[in-house]
Amino acid sequence: MMKTKRITIDMTLPLEEQLAEAGQLLKDGQLVAFPTETVYGLGANGLDEMAAKKIYTAKGRPSDNPLILHIAEKDDIIPLTEEVPMNARVLIDAFWPGPLTLVVKRSAIVPRLTAGGLDTVAVRMPDADIARALIRMAGVPIAAPSANLSGRPSPTTAKTVAEDMDGRIAMIVDGGACHIGVESTIVDCTSPVPTVLRPGGITVEMLTDVLGAVEIDKGLTDESVKPKAPGMKYRHYAPEAETILFEGETERKRDGLIKAAMDAVCMKKCVGALVSRELAERLPADVITVSYGDKAELASLLYDTLRGFDEKGADVIYLEGVDESDIGLAVMNRLRKASGNRIVTA
Ligand code: TXA
Ligand code: MG
């Protein structure tokens, strides 16, 4: 086991000095976890095949699941790709820096392993100042998947990164909690109509506004179709406890969840519930209840809550579904995966 160093960033002081050692570790081919606006990333030099290999080992990630390259300036995408298509330019102007990842044709400088053997590459310019400062210090594009063990919920705090990565990586940069809380939206720009491969922080409504039309990968909703983003086929974001998602008409869905929670409490089970404030008030006092005011708040606390239920020893977890407009689409995609598609539709 290696010793994992932890540094805490003070946003009132210059970032360059504070990130100098982290940048050097990345240059030396080591792994450094760092915050972005979506979730914490597990960074390595994206042009160094050996460094990328360490990511797969540290996460226990299947090697056919490609990594996202993170860049500090818009133009840094140019050397990574054969071509920046017109629709990608439009999206870059509208949404970078931000929670949007673009899939484009891969150039020869991107190692095969980084791209999971595909002839395309995923690129994102994050909005978080710490992330961009770190990329600049390293001087190379940074390959960074979410900093969790493969299959676990993504980390949105340095504490949850440490739960999964302590002893496996060189450094964790603690920059506080990630404010969006679900991963970036992935858009494939190599198809004639840009296609959403993973819903995320930039919503389908926002994409449609600037592009006119987008498609949504059928593999996201139809279980018989293989998703185009290799990572979307895995059971992801999964807590250890049995997890059930309640969907459907608001009142019936809530009644169903309340009844399930009461039954489980009667059977002396430890119950976790992630629900709206309205529903929270109606649940038995024994239920470990985490509630949210709106969908954005749900996105920001989703992953930490799922981990927290496991930590508290929940036997079952009940999740209240939300409508799929705006950030709701990304949230419901993660909730369905967390439940392993155990869904009760009222
Ligand atoms: O918000 C995010 O995107 C975070 C932060 C750290 O930036 N990163 C992240 O990375 O979520 P990761 O590795 O956990 O998820 C990357 C997803 C996987 O589902 C992978 O299969 C897909 O992106 N992907 C990567 N390259 C691709 C490509 N060339 N074509 C299709 N899908 C790709
Ligand atoms: Mg991930």
Side-chain angles (χ1 to χ4, degrees):
M1 263 217 343
M2 80 173 74
K3 172 120 186 63
T4 301
K5 186 164 180 178
R6 180 134 159 205
I7 62 164
T8 303
I9 300 299
D10 180 341
M11 290 307 284
T12 65
L13 298 174
L15 289 174
E16 283 67 22
E17 281 162 44
Q18 300 179 76
L19 291 169
E21 188 183 354
Q24 189 58 48
L25 285 168
L26 288 168
K27 279 188 182 149
D28 293 344
Q30 300 293 314
L31 303 185
V32 175
F34 63 97
T36 79
E37 70 277 22
T38 58
V39 299
Y40 271 76
L42 180 56
N45 178 349
L47 302 183
D48 174 352
E49 184 132 40
M50 289 312 293
K53 204 170 202 145
K54 287 185 187 165
I55 289 183
Y56 288 93
T57 307
K59 277 183 66 85
R61 180 176 175 113
S63 62
D64 70 341
N65 192 2
L67 306 172
I68 296 172
L69 289 182
H70 294 65
I71 56 178
E73 307 292 338
K74 292 180 180 179
D75 284 350
D76 292 348
I77 190 176
I78 294 168
L80 303 177
T81 180
E82 299 279 320
E83 186 205 354
V84 183
M86 195 53 214
N87 54 37
R89 281 169 218 242
V90 171
L91 292 175
I92 289 169
D93 280 342
F95 301 117
W96 276 7
L100 177 68
T101 296
L102 302 177
V103 172
V104 291
K105 286 218 169 67
R106 167 168 73 101
S107 77
I109 69 162
V110 180
R112 270 181 67 82
L113 185 72
T114 305
L118 300 175
D119 58 8
T120 55
V121 62
V123 185
R124 146 162 144 83
M125 178 182 174
D127 185 34
D129 289 338
I130 296 175
R132 284 207 316 282
L134 179 61
I135 300 163
R136 276 192 204 102
M137 297 303 289
V140 285
I142 298 298
S146 48
N148 51 288
L149 291 172
S150 213
R152 301 268 295 140
S154 299
T156 54
T157 61
K159 175 176 164 280
T160 45
V161 174
E163 278 171 21
D164 282 11
M165 290 299 154
D166 217 10
R168 293 171 173 260
I169 64 177
M171 184 185 270
I172 298 172
V173 176
D174 184 347
C178 306
H179 75 269
I180 295 178
V182 292
E183 299 85 346
S184 62
T185 306
I186 302 177
V187 176
D188 181 357
C189 295
T190 65
S191 48
V193 180
T195 305
V196 175
L197 305 188
R198 176 176 74 181
I202 299 292
T203 66
V204 169
E205 290 86 344
M206 292 160 80
L207 295 170
T208 309
D209 261 358
V210 299
L211 288 173
V214 288
E215 277 176 13
I216 298 176
D217 181 20
K218 290 198 179 55
L220 291 179
T221 46
D222 183 341
E223 273 188 85
S224 64
V225 178
K226 192 172 147 203
K228 286 192 185 135
M232 298 302 279
K233 70 175 178 276
Y234 298 106
R235 179 173 181 220
H236 240 92
Y237 320 113
E240 275 149 38
E242 178 183 61
T243 303
I244 297 172
L245 172 62
F246 290 77
E247 292 189 34
E249 191 273 321
T250 308
E251 275 317 305
R252 286 212 303 271
K253 159 184 84 182
R254 289 180 178 167
D255 288 345
L257 195 154
I258 293 168
K259 180 161 187 317
M262 285 178 160
D263 289 351
V265 167
C266 278
M267 291 163 70
K268 299 273 178 267
K269 285 189 181 170
C270 176
V271 183
L274 175 57
V275 298
S276 61
R277 292 231 210 299
E278 294 92 321
L279 178 51
E281 293 165 5
R282 297 165 56 193
L283 288 176
D286 297 354
V287 174
I288 307 167
T289 304
V290 176
S291 67
Y292 50 84
D294 60 19
K295 289 182 284 186
E297 193 187 352
L298 170 56
S300 72
L301 54 73
L302 172 59
Y303 290 140
D304 252 38
T305 301
L306 295 177
R307 282 175 179 260
F309 287 149
D310 275 342
E311 227 167 74
K312 293 181 186 113
D315 302 306
V316 285
I317 297 172
Y318 297 135
L319 307 169
E320 180 182 358
V322 294
D323 80 79
E324 290 185 289
S325 61
D326 302 314
I327 193 75
L329 186 67
V331 168
M332 285 303 283
N333 169 262
R334 306 316 191 267
L335 291 180
R336 288 185 185 123
K337 281 184 170 273
S339 73
N341 277 321
R342 296 166 71 92
I343 298 169
V344 176
T345 307

